[in-house]
Amino acid sequence: MQKDDLIRVTIEDLSSDGLGVGHSDGMAFFIKDTVIGDEVEAKIMKMKKTYGYARMTKLLVPSPDRIEACCPVARQCGGCQIQSMSYPAQLRFKENKVRNNLMRIGKFENPPMEPIIGMDTPFRYRNKAQFPIGYSRDGRRIAGFYAGRTHAIIECEDCLLGAEVNQEILETVLSHMEQFQIEPYEEQTGKGLLRHVMTRVGHSTGEIMVCLIVNGTKLPHEEALITALTRIPGMASITLNTNTEKTNVIMGRKQRLLWGRPYIEDTIGAVRFRISSLSFFQVNPLQTEKLYGKALEYAGLTGEETVWDLYCGIGTISLFLAQRAKKVCGVEIVPAAIEDARKNAALNGFTNAEFFVGKAEEVLPEKYKTEGITADVIVVDPPRKGCEESVLTTMIQMQPKRIVYVSCDSATLARDLKYLCENGYALQKCCPVDMFGNSVHVETVCLLSRK
Ligand code: SAH
C-alpha cells in the first residue's frame, strides 16, 4: 500500500484527537471527519510503518450514529471533533474509552463502572469564550476563531458551545469598531489595536464579563462602547487588558477596569466563586457540580476527616469537600490559583481549608517526611500526564482509608490506578462524566479503598 491508493475501511474507533480509526490489510488508518460505524472509501495521504493517514473520498455506508452537525463551521473549526456523532453514541464512545483503558492499561478484568453521567444537551455549556478579531477577505471587521492550526480567522459570532449573548457582545464591539474605524490587530505587522474579545457568563448568576484585549492602553471612544455594552442585560464587568507583545498568549498582564466590578461571581453547588478575567474557572459549571458531587460521595466524609486535595487549582474540589470535612489541605503549582483559592475560602466563610503553593511531587513527600502529615482521604485531580510516582508512593505511605482520583485522561488514570492497586489499594468504583460534549474528552472519578 502506498500514498494515493484507494482503500475501503470501516471505522471502529476514534483516536485521542478525534480521528476515525479503521483497518485495511492489517494496517491502521486515521481518517478525519468520520464517525464510528461509517464505511468509507479513502485515499492514503501518508504511510508510516504500521499505520497511515487517509482522507475520506466517499461515504459508502453512513454509520447509524451519524447525524448532521448543527454548526455550519464544525469541520473547519476542529473545536468539536465529534459533532457528527449522535449524543448517545458520544456517551457510549466515552464510556468504552474509559473501560478499555482500565482493562488494557490498568489490567482490571472487570472494572466497577457506573454509567457515564451525560449532559442534558451537549450545547451552550461553555461559560468562557475568546474570539480573535480581524478582517474578512472583503475587508470587513470580523470575530471568529482560528482555522485548524493556522491563524486565519473563520468568521463565527455564535459558537454553539458558548452563551447566546456572545453574538450580541461581538456585534456591539464590531459595530463600534466600524463606526470609529478602529483597526483589528494584525499578527504579522504587530499593528492595529483590538486583538481578542473574551467573555464570561456566570451560569447561575447570569453576570456577564467582557474583556477587550488591546494592543495598547486604550480604545478610541471608550465611553460610547461602554454605553452600548451596558445595554446588554446582565453586564457586570468590562475590562481592558493590554497585550503589546508579539505572542500567541491571548491575555496580557496589565488590566484596567472600564466599567462595573473587576470580577463576576458564579456558584458550583452551594459554593460561591469570584472570577476575574485572569483567573481559571471550570468552563462547564453544571457538569463540574456533578463531577465534584461524585467525588464528594466517593470521599464518604462524616465531618471528622482530614483531607488532602492535590492539584487543587482555585480550590473548587477543596471547598466542596470542606463543607463536610474537619480539615482540607490543597496543593497547587500556580501561585495565582492559590490566591484565588484562599479568597474563595474566605468569601464562603470556610476556616477549615488551608492551601500550599508548590509541586505536589515535592510538597507532599516533603511535608510527610518533615511534619509527618496524615490524611483520612486523599483526592487528586492531576493534569493529563497523571501523578508523578513520588506522589503515588507518598500517598501509599500515608495510608489514607480512601483515595479519590479525578482524571481528564483515562490512559494515565489506568496506569496510576494499577500502581496503587499493586500497593495496597482496591478499585471500588469508577464513574465517567461528560464535561465537554461534542469533543472527545472525558473526565472520570474513581474510588479506591485500602485493603
Ligand atoms: N481541581 C481543580 C483543577 C485541577 S486541573 C479545580 O477545580 O480548579 C489540574 C491542576 O493541577 C491545574 O490547576 C494545574 O495548575 C495543577 N498542576 C499541574 N502540575 C502540578 C504539579 N506538579 N503539582 C501541583 N499542581 C499541579
Side-chain angles (χ1 to χ4, degrees):
M1 271 186 295
Q2 55 190 30
K3 189 168 180 297
D4 291 337
D5 280 358
L6 283 180
I7 49 174
R8 198 187 165 108
V9 180
T10 299
I11 304 302
E12 302 146 26
D13 201 358
L14 296 177
S15 71
S16 55
D17 41 8
L19 302 177
V21 189
H23 288 84
S24 175
D25 246 2
M27 294 278 272
F29 283 95
F30 294 95
I31 309 173
K32 199 174 170 286
D33 299 322
T34 56
V35 164
I36 297 173
D38 278 346
E39 227 183 293
V40 304
E41 179 197 85
K43 189 175 180 177
I44 299 178
M45 308 305 293
K46 203 190 212 173
M47 283 304 291
K48 301 269 186 184
K49 263 203 185 117
T50 55
Y51 64 93
Y53 291 92
R55 178 182 298 154
M56 173 163 64
T57 44
K58 254 187 226 146
L59 178 56
L60 300 170
V61 185
S63 161
D65 296 322
R66 183 177 265 279
I67 55 167
E68 187 79 36
C70 298
C71 175
V73 287
R75 272 179 74 160
Q76 288 133 291
C77 168
C80 292
Q81 305 99 349
I82 52 174
Q83 238 196 59
S84 300
M85 203 160 148
S86 75
Y87 191 55
Q90 289 184 23
L91 293 178
R92 275 200 310 278
F93 157 71
K94 292 183 185 193
E95 202 175 279
N96 282 335
K97 178 162 141 182
V98 173
R99 183 182 292 108
N100 288 341
N101 280 334
L102 291 178
M103 290 170 73
R104 200 169 46 82
I105 302 169
K107 308 290 175 210
F108 296 97
E109 244 169 58
N110 191 9
M113 304 266 300
E114 296 196 65
I116 187 167
I117 300 178
M119 307 170 34
D120 292 339
T121 108
F123 292 101
R124 302 286 182 208
Y125 58 82
R126 281 190 66 95
N127 57 9
K128 178 182 174 182
Q130 306 183 106
F131 297 91
I133 304 295
Y135 280 117
S136 65
R137 287 229 175 107
D138 58 349
R140 285 175 302 113
R141 290 162 175 84
I142 57 168
F145 54 81
Y146 294 128
R149 283 175 209 142
T150 75
H151 269 198
I153 298 176
I154 306 274
E155 186 172 5
C156 175
E157 291 171 13
D158 186 27
C159 167
L160 297 181
L161 300 191
E164 273 168 274
V165 74
N166 286 336
Q167 189 165 7
E168 196 180 348
I169 294 169
L170 292 173
E171 276 167 9
T172 306
V173 174
L174 292 172
S175 90
H176 180 82
M177 290 177 75
E178 290 289 345
Q179 190 182 348
F180 297 104
Q181 294 296 300
I182 300 171
E183 303 296 334
Y185 175 71
E186 224 185 296
E187 283 189 316
Q188 288 87 354
T189 60
K191 296 214 175 81
L193 216 48
L194 193 61
R195 300 173 70 125
H196 274 83
V197 175
M198 190 271 265
T199 68
R200 267 181 157 152
V201 181
H203 176 82
S204 67
T205 57
E207 293 180 354
I208 300 171
M209 163 182 287
V210 174
C211 180
L212 305 156
I213 296 109
V214 174
N215 179 34
T217 53
K218 47 183 184 286
L219 278 178
H221 304 277
E222 279 171 7
E223 285 309 317
L225 180 57
I226 292 166
T227 306
L229 283 173
T230 49
R231 280 195 204 112
I232 299 172
M235 192 58 61
S237 168
I238 307 175
T239 51
L240 188 150
N241 177 283
T242 294
N243 185 357
T244 53
E245 312 268 306
K246 275 199 161 187
T247 165
N248 282 341
V249 177
I250 295 178
M251 307 278 281
R253 262 164 292 173
K254 264 201 220 142
Q255 205 138 273
R256 181 160 61 87
L257 182 66
L258 298 184
W259 183 85
R261 300 193 241 103
Y263 59 84
I264 58 167
E265 292 192 340
D266 201 6
T267 58
I268 295 181
V271 185
R272 204 164 180 87
F273 292 89
R274 197 165 274 193
I275 311 151
S276 77
S277 51
L278 290 169
S279 48
F280 169 85
F281 191 63
Q282 293 285 347
V283 296
N284 183 345
L286 206 63
Q287 289 302 99
T288 298
E289 184 176 340
K290 292 184 194 163
L291 178 72
Y292 293 172
K294 215 15 130 180
L296 184 62
E297 176 195 319
Y298 284 0
L301 302 179
T302 62
E304 291 306 309
E305 293 82 1
T306 298
V307 184
W308 280 77
D309 177 19
L310 308 179
Y311 315 89
C312 70
I314 60 163
T316 324
I317 301 186
S318 318
L319 299 184
F320 229 67
L321 299 168
Q323 303 174 90
R324 302 236 199 109
K326 185 162 127 203
K327 168 104 208 216
V328 178
C329 299
V331 182
E332 160 65 42
I333 197 169
V334 176
I338 288 289
E339 275 171 42
D340 278 344
R342 289 184 183 137
K343 272 188 217 149
N344 287 325
L347 181 70
N348 289 279
F350 288 116
T351 51
N352 59 342
E354 196 176 348
F355 296 97
F356 304 97
V357 180
K359 294 183 179 170
E361 60 271 26
E362 289 172 4
V363 174
L364 198 72
E366 177 69 25
K367 287 205 173 285
Y368 178 66
K369 241 189 265 150
T370 58
E371 298 168 31
I373 51 165
T374 60
D376 300 293
V377 178
I378 298 181
V379 178
V380 297
D381 184 7
R384 286 198 192 151
K385 67 177 185 189
C387 296
E388 298 270 326
E389 199 166 319
S390 68
V391 173
L392 298 177
T393 50
T394 308
M395 292 204 303
I396 291 160
Q397 286 165 353
M398 287 172 72
Q399 305 189 347
K401 286 197 265 319
R402 284 181 293 283
I403 296 173
V404 178
Y405 196 131
V406 182
S407 161
C408 55
D409 184 324
S410 53
T412 57
L413 168 73
R415 177 200 67 200
D416 291 351
L417 292 184
K418 179 168 181 279
Y419 188 90
L420 291 168
C421 289
E422 285 164 355
N423 290 282
Y425 283 84
L427 181 59
Q428 300 294 350
K429 281 179 195 171
C430 248
C431 186
V433 179
D434 187 24
M435 304 263 276
F436 309 106
N438 290 309
S439 85
V440 287
H441 302 291
V442 58
E443 298 274 325
T444 312
V445 50
C446 295
L447 169 64
L448 297 119
S449 65
R450 212 171 113 72
K451 279 193 262 198

